[in-house]
Structures are given as C-alpha cells and as structure tokens.
Amino acid sequence: MTLGTALLAGPVLMAGYGVVRLVGRAVSDYGPGVWWTAAHLLFLAGVLAFVPVFLGLRGLVGESGGGRAAATVAAWTGLLGAAAVVVQSVIDLGAGFAAADKQAMSEMFDRVQGVPGVMPLVYTVVPMLFWLGLLALVTLLAFLRRDLVRAWAPVLVLAGTVVMAVSLDLLPVGALCLGVALLPVRRGLSG
C-alpha cells in the first residue's frame, strides 16, 4: 500500500469501524456475530493501514540529523503500539467467533485479560503507543516539513485521540480528525 493510499485508508477504515459498531449496537445486542466481526475487521484493516503511514511519515523527515532520529523513534513507538492493537483485534475477533453469546464472550475476555501482563501489553499501556507515535510524528513533521504537514495537524491528531479515548461511540469523529490532519500530507505527495 502506498503512503498516499494509507493516509486515506487508515482513517476511513477506523471511521468505518466506528459506524458499523454504532449500527450494530443500535440494531442488535452488539457482541458475537456479523456486526462485531465486520466492525473488528474494519478496525484491524485500519490499524494495518497505519503501518505504511508510520514508515512513510518517518521517511518524509529526511536522511540525516536529529529530526531523523526522533522520527525513527516515533515511528517505531507507533508500530509497537500498532502491534499491540493488532493482537487486541485478533483476540476480539477470536472471542467473537468462538463465543455462543455475549456472556460467553465476556467470560473469554475475563480469562484472557486475567493472564498476568496481558492488560498493559495488549489493552491499556502499549496500545497507547500507537497514538503517541502518530502524534509525535505529525508534530515533528509540522516543524520540519511545513510544506506537507500544517501547524494545526498535531492539534487535530490529539483531539481525535482524546475523543476516541473518551468514548468508542465517538470513533467516527476521532477518525475524521485524523483524516483531516493527514489530508494535506496526501495532497502534498500527489501535487
């Protein structure tokens, strides 16, 4: 996937996850089933689309200097967080496929999350590195590549991250913030 495609696909797929999740919750008991699976597949695809985003944004910094080192750290931080989110998504999908109902799925999550270290590694601490890495890269590029990243882009990335952390129901809004923040990069690459 090219950087330009990934810059569009990542936020769109994450927004799709949010919309499908909301619709699934509105029309059924959102849990194991079609809505759960479709939503989590969209989220997994969205997170995977950010892999070329992290690598591509890192490459936009240039070949040398402190900015390159900082961008490399930020990119690898984001990729580590993305790996944790991928594991989380796979667990969610697996529980959705294996569980007969919402109660059984909840029990599966309790067993998995009860394993020492799983909560911080897969659910709480390490996944936040995805957002921290993205924010750091966009902020760095706002200083080093003003031709591609606008000064307001880090504010939108932060706002999108906070909105999604406040409530998963706001995922489409948060993803929209990310998409708007990254849109000038995509336009700059194609222009």
Side-chain angles (χ1 to χ4, degrees), residues 1-11 13-14 43-61 68 71 74-76 78-80 82-83 86 130 133-134 137-138 141 182 185-186 189:
M1 181 180 294
T2 67
L3 176 56
T5 302
L7 287 165
L8 180 63
L13 289 164
M14 285 187 173
F43 188 63
L44 178 59
V47 171
L48 291 173
F50 272 92
V51 171
V53 169
F54 284 119
L55 297 173
L57 292 179
R58 178 186 152 269
L60 295 176
V61 170
R68 180 61 170 201
W76 283 105
L79 289 169
L80 178 61
V86 165
F130 176 92
L134 182 62
L137 269 173
V138 171
L141 286 166
L182 297 173
V185 180
R186 189 171 190 279
L189 292 174

Side-chain angles (χ1 to χ4, degrees), residues 13-172:
L13 289 164
M14 285 187 173
Y17 163 62
V19 169
V20 170
R21 182 181 175 279
L22 287 171
V23 171
R25 291 182 67 206
V27 300
S28 71
D29 186 23
Y30 183 70
V34 173
W35 294 104
W36 177 271
T37 301
H40 283 80
L41 286 172
L42 285 167
F43 188 63
L44 178 59
V47 171
L48 291 173
F50 272 92
V51 171
V53 169
F54 284 119
L55 297 173
L57 292 179
R58 178 186 152 269
L60 295 176
V61 170
E63 293 301 320
S64 62
R68 180 61 170 201
T72 299
V73 169
W76 283 105
T77 298
L79 289 169
L80 178 61
V85 176
V86 165
V87 171
Q88 185 182 131
S89 295
V90 170
I91 290 169
D92 290 355
L93 283 164
F97 283 125
D101 57 27
K102 194 168 186 167
Q103 178 62 34
M105 190 169 72
S106 179
E107 291 169 5
M108 286 181 196
F109 284 132
D110 288 344
R111 282 195 303 273
V112 169
Q113 293 171 357
V115 174
V118 167
M119 282 303 289
L121 289 174
V122 179
Y123 287 94
T124 56
V125 178
V126 178
M128 289 307 297
L129 297 178
F130 176 92
W131 307 106
L132 181 62
L134 182 62
L135 179 60
L137 269 173
V138 171
T139 302
L140 187 63
L141 286 166
F143 285 102
L144 299 176
R145 291 297 307 268
R146 292 182 185 139
D147 58 319
L148 292 175
V149 178
R150 305 297 181 254
W152 45 261
V155 175
L156 273 180
V157 171
L158 179 61
T161 301
V162 169
V163 162
M164 289 185 275
V166 166
S167 172
L168 291 179
D169 290 344
L170 298 173
L171 269 160

